[in-house]
Amino acid sequence: MQTAASVSHKASRPRADALRNRERIVTAAREMFVEFGADVPFDEVARRAGVGNATVYRNFPDREALVREVVCSVMDRTSEAAEQALAETGDAFEALERFAHTAAAERISALCPMLSSAFDRHHPDLEAARVRVDTLVARIMDRARAAGQLRDDVGSGDLLVGIAQLSRPPAGTGCLSADRFVHRHLQLFLDGMRAPAPSSLPGAAVTVEDLRAS
Amino acid sequence: MQTAASVSHKASRPRADALRNRERIVTAAREMFVEFGADVPFDEVARRAGVGNATVYRNFPDREALVREVVCSVMDRTSEAAEQALAETGDAFEALERFAHTAAAERISALCPMLSSAFDRHHPDLEAARVRVDTLVARIMDRARAAGQLRDDVGSGDLLVGIAQLSRPPAGTGCLSADRFVHRHLQLFLDGMRAPAPSSLPGAAVTVEDLRAS
DNA sequence: TCTAAACGGGGAAACCGTCCCCGCTTATTT
DNA sequence: AAATAAGCGGGGACGGTTTCCCCGTTTAGA
């Protein structure tokens, strides 16, 4: 980090405040997608982000672009949480639990729109992020399974969908009060994943790949 | 059932097809509330129900009336499922499981709007239905608990919210394909409720009563 | 200090949900 | 089977909301 000239080419670099604003918009959109669904008015997103509405329209040509950026951002955060969990050297199942609770708090449910029909699930950015998440989560689960702590018949998709569904706010407006319940129910779900399995599950283990099938 | 005059007073009885239509509207609305939330256009509900939009407006003066009827209807169905489960004389936990899977299939998540802020949670009809569900579900759970099969730290609210959240379609349009996953994940959740508890849950057991608190 | 990129608020235009009106259908009665 | 009135359904106007552009002003970067 030099005093100046730390960045090579300045021609294509956007202004610093522009980047900051873009980030604030994505954050606001992520929160609002989770609470109100993927069709919140742009003006509302702008208001929560503390910017003018024009700034939103300037950064994102259409709704899909914003949604995609939000989904990618959430997947990246999830991947980071997964990497952190993998770095933990202690109990394998405990690492899995830590990851799950962190992902729930990170509002992973914002990536539900990914399953929506009116959404290009094959965009390169998404594919890359998806593979990354899937791989990391599968690694965490494999480790717990190898330790004999995780049942055999569950896949990364089962875990991620469970987290997403259980961490969604019920439906009404800003019902964040449920956050107190979320971790209870997620913990129950995780306990159900422990080995030995007391029941057999219908269907086969689900991967993230399976989720994007129609 | 006599040939005629089987009903005492004919003055206030609506026509048979009117009743049938009303029922079809409630059914359609239930499905659509689950899929798209409680603010689907009335015209869409009418279309799915196979009736004209005027019929919807004639039967339900405002949206709240329709929502209330749907919620009550779902709670009644849930109560029926609970009574049926209680009648089963076999394994107590198996009865609990049967109830849960039935409730999920009955689209119990349609009663999410009950938690919405813009909804009169203190309407007499709702109170009655709520108490009935809560009592029956608690009875099922108590029985399983008495048999040493259900952990101590879960309440009827935990079960109902878990079912509701896990059985909700992710978000997109008519994503009923997820139904194949629902019962997997619900089963995992149920397995997590088995005794002995492998973990301790944050917070306290939740009743249905707790849910209507802001 | 200078310049151009970025910002923000206001407002027009398009879209969508609500709800009424009226000619037609059909369940029910005698 | 005919009479009768309750119920039905589609079209369309109204009102509210969202989208998106325009342009005067601000501010980062050199």
Side-chain angles (χ1 to χ4, degrees), chain B residues 10 13 15-17 41-43 53-54 57 63:
Chain B
K10 55 200 165 190
R13 194 184 68 220
R15 256 165 57 170
D17 57 339
F42 269 32
D43 285 28
N53 56 7
Y57 288 104
R63 184 170 290 274

Side-chain angles (χ1 to χ4, degrees), chain A residues 184-185 187-193 198, chain B residues 93 96-97 100 137 141 144-145 148-163 186-198 201 206:
Chain A
R184 281 179 66 80
H185 300 150
Q187 188 60 48
L188 287 172
F189 188 78
L190 290 166
D191 284 344
M193 285 189 154
Chain B
F93 198 87
L96 173 60
E97 289 176 312
V137 174
M141 293 177 77
R145 202 168 359 240
Q149 296 173 299
L150 182 69
R151 55 198 290 175
D152 296 325
D153 52 358
V154 292
S156 53
D158 290 309
L159 177 59
L160 290 171
V161 170
I163 297 171
L186 180 54
Q187 188 59 49
L188 286 172
F189 188 78
L190 290 166
D191 284 344
M193 285 189 152
R194 288 188 138 95
L201 303 179
V206 179

Side-chain angles (χ1 to χ4, degrees), chain A residues 10 13 15-17 41-43 53-54 57 63:
Chain A
K10 58 201 164 192
R13 195 185 66 221
R15 256 166 56 172
D17 57 339
F42 269 31
D43 285 29
N53 58 6
Y57 287 104
R63 184 171 290 275

Side-chain angles (χ1 to χ4, degrees), chain A residues 26-145:
Chain A
V26 172
T27 301
R30 175 165 54 94
E31 295 172 5
M32 302 194 79
F33 284 176
V34 175
E35 280 186 46
F36 308 108
D39 50 358
V40 285
F42 269 31
D43 285 29
E44 294 287 315
V45 175
R47 236 168 52 83
R48 174 168 319 195
V51 302
N53 58 6
T55 305
V56 179
Y57 287 104
R58 208 175 296 120
N59 276 280
F60 303 97
D62 53 18
R63 184 171 290 275
E64 171 119 3
L66 178 56
V67 173
R68 195 186 320 127
E69 181 108 353
V70 167
V71 170
C72 283
S73 149
V74 170
M75 282 183 145
D76 284 350
R77 284 161 165 272
T78 306
S79 290
E80 276 171 40
E83 277 168 353
Q84 209 169 325
L86 271 175
E88 289 184 22
T89 54
D91 184 72
F93 198 88
E94 209 175 300
L96 174 61
E97 289 177 314
R98 278 268 259 288
F99 162 73
H101 285 285
T102 303
E106 288 284 357
R107 305 249 163 259
I108 195 191
S109 49
L111 47 73
C112 295
M114 198 182 70
L115 305 173
S116 166
S117 59
F119 186 68
D120 176 23
R121 286 184 282 275
H122 301 294
H123 193 282
D125 292 0
L126 286 175
E127 288 286 316
R130 189 171 58 69
V131 170
R132 188 171 165 226
V133 169
D134 203 3
T135 307
L136 286 167
V137 174
R139 198 120 49 96
I140 295 176
M141 294 178 77
D142 282 343
R143 202 173 62 168
R145 200 165 3 236

